[in-house]
């Protein structure tokens, strides 16, 4: 097993050229932060991109940042903090779920996973923010797509394809993405003591109001004590949370309106900026499900209205811990790993309403045995294989990370 | 504009092709007479015209899939068409190709307020979606200026934008699901009413693919609750630099307006002549900044924008105090194209994007180009996102003027790329910017895009001649040219 440590894009090209001519697969690493997600790889060699780090371009007034794929999350966040800006899609930090310290990982990993946090509802996913990239394909060719401006329909939007492709199409050598101003103030309206189905109703009412809700989540009574926010941990009840962001006077008024509106559901309360930020970060990184470490963790996306019913169907057959994000459209769920981490029942639970489930955490043998990602239909799989082959005909890059040989 | 050479062999088989299509799409679903086909010979880029081989108007996804499968088997080219409002020639027919019109897919299938989405057929117009949900206080956010006529299927094909996409995103950011018919006759569902499907983001790839990959037969869009308040500020500046600095400062202050539009002096005066909007005729640049959201927030931010603009030397500034006044601010901007149409026999609308800060520079260059080409230009911009719409004024009846206008347009777009921008922000490449793709992309960049097309369309039958300057066979694109590599960088440590 050889690790090729690339210093620049030419090294990446050279390493992939070699692998193509040897027909020998490579595992791509930007620091390895996300290695625990996806199907375990068995490649002969590793291409380490950690040398391709550093911010190349940051123009706050243009809302754009460009960086090497291995630029650390911390480096990017520090630069953004300095200009009071953020990645609006709130990249999930999976470190704690895998038993590592928070704050690790790289920007290339963030886009390769396309995971978005609670603000997904309002601001979109990682894929909505990737404006352009440069990469070396599995054909050992350097290419680029997109640019540094938001309004761009010049050619196919390959950035969308690259986001969430887990390094199976090309090795990123540079990414350019959109950044946004941080909200001046972030408050959260709370409703205590709801059941899951009631919480879906309350979140839907808030989402359908004109108050520009940026996030809506629900933590059941059994997980609430795990919160670092005392109002939540000491409530002794479930908590339904509605996030409101914006300029100061607007935020306080809208939170008041939301509380008035949701008072019919149960007793209300509010969190101000510090506690709000703490709470939504817990929800983003699924901190409530970190322990016990041996449990498998799923991330299930369904139509928001169906969140409670899907959860009930799973819970009727398995002992689970869970919470809702995305107004009920995202279920984070922990279950005993068993042989298949309840994959069959979980995927059956949303067959009627549509959705997809990703096995975020599980022992390698479980991840090797069950599809980590939502299985594709016959036509979808065939098309995805042809797309993979259009970038990587010899199946050199992260083969088998996602589906079958993709 | 050179289109792929029509196949005489296919043209000779026209009657057999018509009969096969009639078997798939019965009744009046196949149009063959010249008189009736005339309606399809061009789109919003009306300088180019071409009669199609035949037009078919299927009514069900199964018929669309069957038409595609038949054409794939028979080696017949297909040009998908929505409402035909493309400004880049995306729906321009081919002499040896079938026009596959989606006009009969005009039903709204479901409005789902609990999941905040609407399921519609692709021929439904953009504005009809908002009309269907506005009674409940909702709307569909992307608002291309052709929204009264353009179809949602066409919006997906072109990734349409509009005035509000600075805050609310383009089409691609407002979709949840698609149903797609492919050339092999499959009908696929991508996404649904949930967010972020697993696997490759096929929906993101298809959006803006200009009808080259498949035919969308159903669209699920997100709908949003309409903001309670919208107010606009109309600001005149003595220079485009001051207006450009104001745009940057507004965004720098953390304010993302619902819309931020700029017009230059020729556009201001053309609009003023046309609709008497009360624009300051002597201003060198005019900004319309619209804030929307909760009332208290809008009032608060309007005040900040006012302070910023005054600090940058605004000479006139009016804040809308009523819906009627806000509409009047927009009246001139919204009529800018017809207004320019009145002062010139013809005009050509360009569509580049630049980084916002390059606005004064591109304006300077355009003034110089205007002198060089001997043609006038008026400018309207989506200033918030750097998307330019220069209107080049010319007279097609004067020999050589069309060619000069096209050369002027190409120069503008090349400058956009030089300044860090792109060839097209929202109108698409189509045939119009096809031959400029090399200004922005290398051969390797374009070859990779075309290989993606091969994954959907191995024989190059879907909308050929659009987007890519050179057509290559998929077999040729697939060939690998990798030299036998040495062990990589042997001079550095490996582990």
């Amino acid at each position: 097993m050889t690790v090729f440590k690339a210093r620049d894009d030419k090294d990446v090209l050279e390493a992939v050229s070699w692998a193509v001519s040897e027909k020998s697969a490579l595992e791509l690493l930007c620091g390895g932060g996300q290695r625990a997600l996806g199907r375990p790889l068995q490649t002969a060699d590793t291409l380490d991109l950690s040398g391709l780090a550093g911010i190349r371009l940051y123009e706050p007034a243009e809302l754009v940042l460009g960086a090497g794929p291995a630029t650390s999350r911390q480096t990017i966040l520090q630069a953004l903090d300095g200009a009071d800006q953020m990645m609006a899609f709130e990249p999930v930090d999976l470190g704690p779920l895998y038993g590592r310290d928070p704050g690790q990982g790289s920007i290339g990993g963030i886009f390769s996973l396309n995971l978005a946090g609670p603000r997904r509802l309002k601001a979109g996913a990682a894929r909505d923010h990737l404006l352009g990239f440069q990469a070396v394909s599995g054909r050992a060719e350097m290419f680029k797509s997109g640019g540094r401006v938001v309004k761009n329909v010049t050619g196919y939007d390959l950035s969308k394809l690259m986001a969430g492709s887990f390094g199976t199409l090309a090795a990123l050598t540079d990414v350019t993405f959109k950044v946004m101003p941080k909200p001046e103030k972030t408050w959260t309206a709370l409703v205590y003591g709801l059941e899951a189905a009631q919480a879906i109703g309350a979140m839907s009412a808030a989402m359908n109001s004109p108050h520009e809700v940026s996030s809506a989540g629900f933590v059941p009574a059994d997980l609430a004590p795990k919160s670092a926010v005392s109002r939540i941990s000491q409530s002794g009840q479930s908590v339904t949370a509605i996030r409101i962001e914006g300029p100061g006077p607007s935020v306080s008024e809208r939170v008041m309106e939301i509380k008035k509106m949701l008072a019919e559901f149960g007793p209300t309360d509010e969190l101000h900026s510090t506690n709000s930020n703490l709470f939504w970060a817990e929800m983003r990184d699924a901190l409530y499900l970190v322990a016990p470490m041996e449990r498998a963790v799923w991330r299930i996306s369904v139509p928001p209205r169906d969140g409670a019913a899907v959860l009930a169907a799973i819970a009727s057959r398995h002992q689970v811990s869970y919470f809702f994000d995305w107004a009920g459209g995202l279920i984070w769920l922990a279950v005993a790993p068993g042989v298949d981490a309840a994959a069959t029942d979980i995927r059956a639970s949303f067959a009627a309403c549509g959705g997809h489930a990703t096995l975020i955490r599980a022992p390698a043998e479980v991840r090797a045995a069950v599809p980590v990602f939502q299985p594709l239909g016959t036509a979808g799989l065939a098309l995805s294989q042809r797309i993979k082959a259009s970038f990587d005909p010899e199946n050199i890059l992260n083969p088998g990370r996602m589906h079958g040989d993709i | 504009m050179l289109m792929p050479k029509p196949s005489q062999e296919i043209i000779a088989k026209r009657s057999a092709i018509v009969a096969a299509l009639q078997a798939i799409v019965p009744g009046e679903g196949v149009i063959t007479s010249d008189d009736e086909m005339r309606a399809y010979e061009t789109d919003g880029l009306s300088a180019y015209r071409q009669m199609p081989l035949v037009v078919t108007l299927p009514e069900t996804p199964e018929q669309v899939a069957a038409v595609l499968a038949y054409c794939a088997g028979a080696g017949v080219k297909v040009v998908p068409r929505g409402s035909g409002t493309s400004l880049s020639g995306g729906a321009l027919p081919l002499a040896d190709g079938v026009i596959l019109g989606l006009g009969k897919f005009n039903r709204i299938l479901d409005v789902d307020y609990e999941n905040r989405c609407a399921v519609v057929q692709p021929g439904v117009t953009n504005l009809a979606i908002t009309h269907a949900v506005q009674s409940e206080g909702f709307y569909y956010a992307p608002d291309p200026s052709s929204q009264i006529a353009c179809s949602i299927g066409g919006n997906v094909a072109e990734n349409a934008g509009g005035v509000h996409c600075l805050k609310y995103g383009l089409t691609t950011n407002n979709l949840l699901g698609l149903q797609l018919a492919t050339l092999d006759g499959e009908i696929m569902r991508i996404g649904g009413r949930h967010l972020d499907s697993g696997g490759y983001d096929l929906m993101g790839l298809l959006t803006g693919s200009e009808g080259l990959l498949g035919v969308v037969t159903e669209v699920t869009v997100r709908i949003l609750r309409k903001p309670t308040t919208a107010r606009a500020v109309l600001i005149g500046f003595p220079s485009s630099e001051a207006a450009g600095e104001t745009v940057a400062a507004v965004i720098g202050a953390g304010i993302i307006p619902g819309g931020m539009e700029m017009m230059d002096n020729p556009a201001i005066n053309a609009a003023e002549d046309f609709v008497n909007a009360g624009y300051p005729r002597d201003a060198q640049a005019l900004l319309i900044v619209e804030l929307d959201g909760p009332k208290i927030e809008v009032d608060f931010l309007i005040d900040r924008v006012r302070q910023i603009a005054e600090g940058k030397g605004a000479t006139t500034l009016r804040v809308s105090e009523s819906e009627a006044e806000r509409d009047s601010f927009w009246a001139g901007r919204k009529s800018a194209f017809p207004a320019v149409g009145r002062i010139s026999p013809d005009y050509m609308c360009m569509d580049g994007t630049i980084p916002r800060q390059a606005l004064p520079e591109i304006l300077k260059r355009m003034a110089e180009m205007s002198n060089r080409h001997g043609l006038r230009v008026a400018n309207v911009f989506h200033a918030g996102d750097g998307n330019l719409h220069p209107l080049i004024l010319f007279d097609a009846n004067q020999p050589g003027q069309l060619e000069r206008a096209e050369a002027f347009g190409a120069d503008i777009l090349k400058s956009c790329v030089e300044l860090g921008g792109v060839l097209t922000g929202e109108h698409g490449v189509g045939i119009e910017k096809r031959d400029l793709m090399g200004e922005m992309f290398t051969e390797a960049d374009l070859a990779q895009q075309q290989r993606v097309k091969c994954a959907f369309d191995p024989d190059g039958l879907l909308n050929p001649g659009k987007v890519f300057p050179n057509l290559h066979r998929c077999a040729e694109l697939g060939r690998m040219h990798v030299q036998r590599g040495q062990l990589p960088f042997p001079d550095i440590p490996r582990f």
Side-chain angles (χ1 to χ4, degrees):
Chain A
M1 166 112 179
T2 311
V3 177
F4 302 112
K5 195 166 162 37
R7 296 157 300 190
D8 55 23
D9 53 359
K10 287 181 195 64
D11 280 354
V12 177
L13 182 67
E14 203 180 316
V16 177
S17 300
W18 174 83
V20 170
S21 67
E22 294 292 314
K23 299 197 191 308
S24 175
L26 289 174
E27 177 175 19
L28 301 180
L29 286 185
C30 268
Q34 320 296 4
R35 214 170 188 174
L37 176 58
R39 301 173 74 217
L41 290 181
Q42 293 179 340
T43 57
D45 303 304
T46 297
L47 175 54
D48 180 350
L49 302 170
S50 61
L52 282 74
I55 294 176
R56 166 182 55 79
L57 157 87
Y58 180 31
E59 293 178 8
E62 296 280 326
L63 305 179
V64 64
L65 197 152
T71 313
S72 73
R73 174 191 293 260
Q74 293 297 25
T75 304
I76 304 262
L77 291 180
Q78 271 168 19
L80 290 171
D81 280 345
D84 241 357
Q85 294 190 331
M86 62 177 181
M87 289 182 268
F89 60 94
E90 289 183 296
V92 180
D93 181 354
L94 294 175
L97 268 186
Y98 298 137
R100 294 194 304 262
D101 289 335
Q104 298 174 345
S106 65
I107 194 67
I110 284 170
F111 284 110
S112 295
L113 268 60
N114 189 34
L115 295 182
R119 207 185 282 105
R120 170 69 182 92
L121 290 179
K122 184 160 179 250
R127 53 89 91 176
D128 295 291
H129 293 76
L130 185 62
L131 300 176
F133 67 88
Q134 295 185 30
V136 173
S137 72
R139 303 173 52 87
E141 288 173 358
M142 279 196 206
F143 72 105
K144 66 173 182 301
S145 178
R148 52 165 289 180
V149 293
V150 173
K151 270 280 204 63
N152 178 10
V153 293
T154 321
Y156 297 144
D157 191 355
L158 298 185
S159 298
K160 297 285 183 297
L161 209 45
M162 208 55 55
S165 66
F166 284 78
T168 59
L169 299 177
L172 290 170
T173 55
D174 191 84
V175 292
T176 304
F177 55 97
K178 180 168 97 166
V179 298
M180 293 293 274
K182 277 188 190 169
E184 267 178 42
K185 195 182 241 192
T186 302
W187 282 16
T188 303
L190 304 177
V191 188
Y192 293 118
L194 306 188
E195 296 299 320
Q198 294 173 300
I200 299 273
M203 291 190 284
S204 186
M207 289 305 300
N208 287 4
S209 77
H211 301 304
E212 293 198 356
V213 169
S214 71
S215 313
F218 170 74
V219 185
D222 64 317
L223 291 184
K226 295 194 173 195
S227 177
V229 177
S230 59
R231 272 189 144 80
I232 291 173
S233 60
Q234 286 164 25
S235 69
Q237 310 176 70
S238 77
V239 177
T240 306
I242 310 294
R243 179 161 66 174
I244 299 286
E245 301 173 298
S250 157
V251 168
S252 45
E253 183 173 297
R254 283 148 64 209
V255 166
M256 200 177 68
E257 292 291 331
I258 293 273
K259 281 168 62 181
K260 225 186 282 174
M261 197 177 81
L262 298 184
E264 61 169 297
F265 288 89
T268 63
D269 198 354
E270 66 193 38
L271 303 178
H272 292 178
S273 287
T274 307
N275 277 331
S276 284
N277 291 335
L278 200 57
F279 170 75
W280 292 105
E282 289 173 350
M283 184 155 273
R284 178 194 68 202
D285 299 340
L287 297 187
Y288 311 122
L289 302 182
V290 168
M293 281 301 288
E294 60 276 13
R295 294 202 119 194
V297 173
W298 287 89
R299 194 172 179 271
I300 306 163
S301 174
V302 293
R305 175 188 51 204
D306 298 298
V310 167
L311 184 270
I314 302 168
S316 70
R317 310 191 62 158
H318 300 272
Q319 205 204 341
V320 301
S321 302
Y322 78 98
F323 68 92
F324 292 143
D325 194 352
W326 299 356
L330 183 68
I331 308 169
W332 281 94
L333 180 137
V335 64
V339 229
D340 75 338
T344 311
D345 289 337
I346 284 173
R347 289 189 167 128
S349 70
F350 53 79
C353 63
H356 64 97
T358 306
L359 182 53
I360 295 285
R361 181 177 80 186
E365 60 273 19
V366 177
R367 287 187 285 132
V370 303
V372 167
F373 300 97
Q374 186 67 22
L376 305 168
T378 318
L381 180 63
L383 185 53
S384 297
Q385 280 166 335
R386 295 199 298 270
I387 290 172
K388 160 84 170 167
S390 77
F391 287 86
D392 181 18
E394 301 289 349
N395 226 356
I396 298 298
L397 304 176
N398 282 358
R401 186 80 189 261
M402 295 181 79
H403 318 267
D405 53 2
I406 296 178
Chain B
M1 189 60 56
L2 217 56
M3 294 302 285
K5 198 161 171 256
S7 157
Q8 293 307 320
E9 195 188 341
I10 293 293
I11 292 173
K13 286 188 201 154
R14 181 172 190 255
S15 55
I17 294 167
V18 167
L21 292 174
Q22 280 167 336
I24 299 167
V25 188
E28 294 173 351
V30 180
I31 295 174
T32 56
S33 79
D34 278 6
D35 274 358
E36 285 180 281
M37 290 205 304
R38 189 80 59 199
Y40 297 89
E41 71 173 352
T42 188
D43 60 9
L45 187 68
S46 54
Y48 295 90
R49 282 166 201 277
Q50 170 63 53
M51 286 293 270
L53 184 68
V54 52
V55 175
T56 182
L57 304 175
E59 289 182 65
T60 66
E62 291 72 22
Q63 289 177 355
V64 173
V67 167
L68 290 175
Y70 163 73
C71 289
V76 179
K77 294 166 188 159
V78 181
V79 177
R81 181 183 174 102
S83 300
T85 56
S86 167
L87 291 171
S88 55
L92 182 74
L94 297 166
D96 59 344
V98 175
I99 285 280
L100 198 170
L102 280 302
K104 292 191 175 174
F105 283 79
N106 55 7
R107 285 186 305 128
I108 292 176
L109 301 174
D110 189 27
V111 175
D112 177 353
Y113 293 108
E114 283 177 288
N115 289 315
R116 293 162 290 283
C117 64
V119 184
V120 303
Q121 292 192 317
V124 170
T125 64
N126 173 294
L127 197 57
I129 302 176
T130 290
H131 283 161
V133 300
Q134 66 187 9
S135 62
E136 296 290 319
F138 282 77
Y139 76 117
Y140 174 61
D143 57 345
S145 58
S146 56
Q147 67 180 155
I148 190 165
C150 64
S151 69
I152 189 69
N155 287 182
V156 173
E158 302 290 331
N159 191 14
V163 167
H164 284 93
C165 55
L166 175 62
K167 182 170 175 184
Y168 295 102
L170 303 146
T171 303
T172 189
N173 312 111
N174 286 278
L175 296 180
L176 287 175
L178 293 178
Q179 186 190 54
L180 177 79
T182 62
L183 267 180
D184 40 19
E186 293 276 355
I187 298 173
M188 292 176 60
R189 283 207 167 271
I190 301 165
R193 300 183 189 202
H194 55 278
L195 292 165
D196 299 340
S197 290
Y200 294 144
D201 184 4
L202 300 179
M203 190 156 61
L205 173 64
L206 287 161
T207 309
S209 63
E210 304 198 21
L212 272 71
L213 301 181
V215 178
V216 169
T217 50
E218 187 190 290
V219 185
T220 304
V221 299
R222 300 180 75 175
I223 51 173
L224 298 178
R225 182 67 191 256
K226 204 169 165 47
T228 46
T229 309
R231 294 180 75 191
V233 204
L234 185 73
I235 318 165
F237 291 93
S239 70
S240 58
E241 283 83 357
E245 284 171 17
T246 301
V247 170
V250 166
I251 294 198
I255 302 169
I256 305 293
M260 185 145 58
E261 296 289 304
M262 194 193 291
M263 297 164 74
D264 71 358
N265 183 272
I268 294 168
N269 279 292
E272 198 51 26
D273 289 343
F274 191 48
V275 293
N276 271 317
Y279 289 175
R281 282 183 181 275
D282 56 345
Q284 290 307 301
L286 185 76
L287 267 188
I288 305 173
V289 184
E290 180 164 296
L291 281 304
D292 63 5
K295 181 170 186 310
I296 183 170
E297 179 167 321
V298 170
D299 293 348
F300 179 79
L301 293 179
I302 281 272
D303 215 47
R304 279 203 192 169
V305 169
R306 180 212 300 267
Q307 285 167 17
I308 290 169
E310 283 169 354
K312 298 289 178 192
T315 40
T316 62
L317 192 149
R318 285 164 58 201
V319 177
S320 70
E321 298 297 339
S322 66
E323 276 299 282
E325 191 172 18
R326 184 174 70 91
D327 287 343
S328 77
F329 289 2
W330 281 107
R333 167 63 184 88
K334 289 192 171 165
S335 63
F337 290 15
V340 165
R342 237 174 50 131
I343 59 170
S344 170
D346 297 283
Y347 70 87
M348 188 177 285
C349 174
M350 306 310 294
D351 171 46
T353 304
I354 51 165
R356 278 178 287 269
Q357 68 200 4
L359 213 50
E361 173 63 23
I362 193 89
L363 284 173
K364 205 171 78 190
R365 290 193 191 188
M366 268 192 243
E368 182 274 317
M369 290 175 207
S370 171
N371 283 333
R372 182 151 43 87
H373 291 283
L375 293 172
R376 289 181 296 162
V377 62
N379 268 294
V380 295
F381 313 118
H382 302 303
D385 40 31
N387 187 194
L388 315 170
H389 291 316
L391 303 168
I392 299 170
L393 280 50
F394 69 103
D395 181 353
N397 289 327
Q398 300 292 322
Q401 283 214 4
L402 172 65
E403 290 71 21
R404 263 156 57 202
E406 286 186 328
F408 187 174
D411 283 350
I412 292 173
L413 297 183
K414 286 175 193 169
S415 271
C416 288
V417 174
E418 271 173 34
L419 293 170
V422 300
L423 295 173
T424 171
E426 56 183 0
H427 294 174
V429 177
I431 56 166
E432 191 201 22
K433 280 143 302 207
R434 184 191 73 187
D435 294 343
L436 293 172
M437 288 289 270
E439 297 290 328
M440 193 167 142
F441 294 114
T442 65
E443 276 299 314
D445 300 339
L446 290 173
Q448 186 51 56
Q449 294 194 32
Q450 288 177 281
R451 278 184 211 108
V452 171
K453 177 170 168 63
C454 292
F456 291 80
D457 177 14
D459 299 317
L461 295 173
L462 256 180
N463 219 2
K466 317 289 168 69
V467 182
F468 299 111
N470 298 303
L471 293 176
H472 299 287
R473 290 183 176 281
C474 288
E476 178 195 334
L477 287 162
R479 225 167 276 148
M480 299 269 273
H481 305 281
V482 175
Q483 291 183 337
R484 191 176 163 74
Q486 301 294 311
L487 195 65
F489 27 102
D491 53 329
I492 61 166
R494 298 192 297 270
F495 310 94

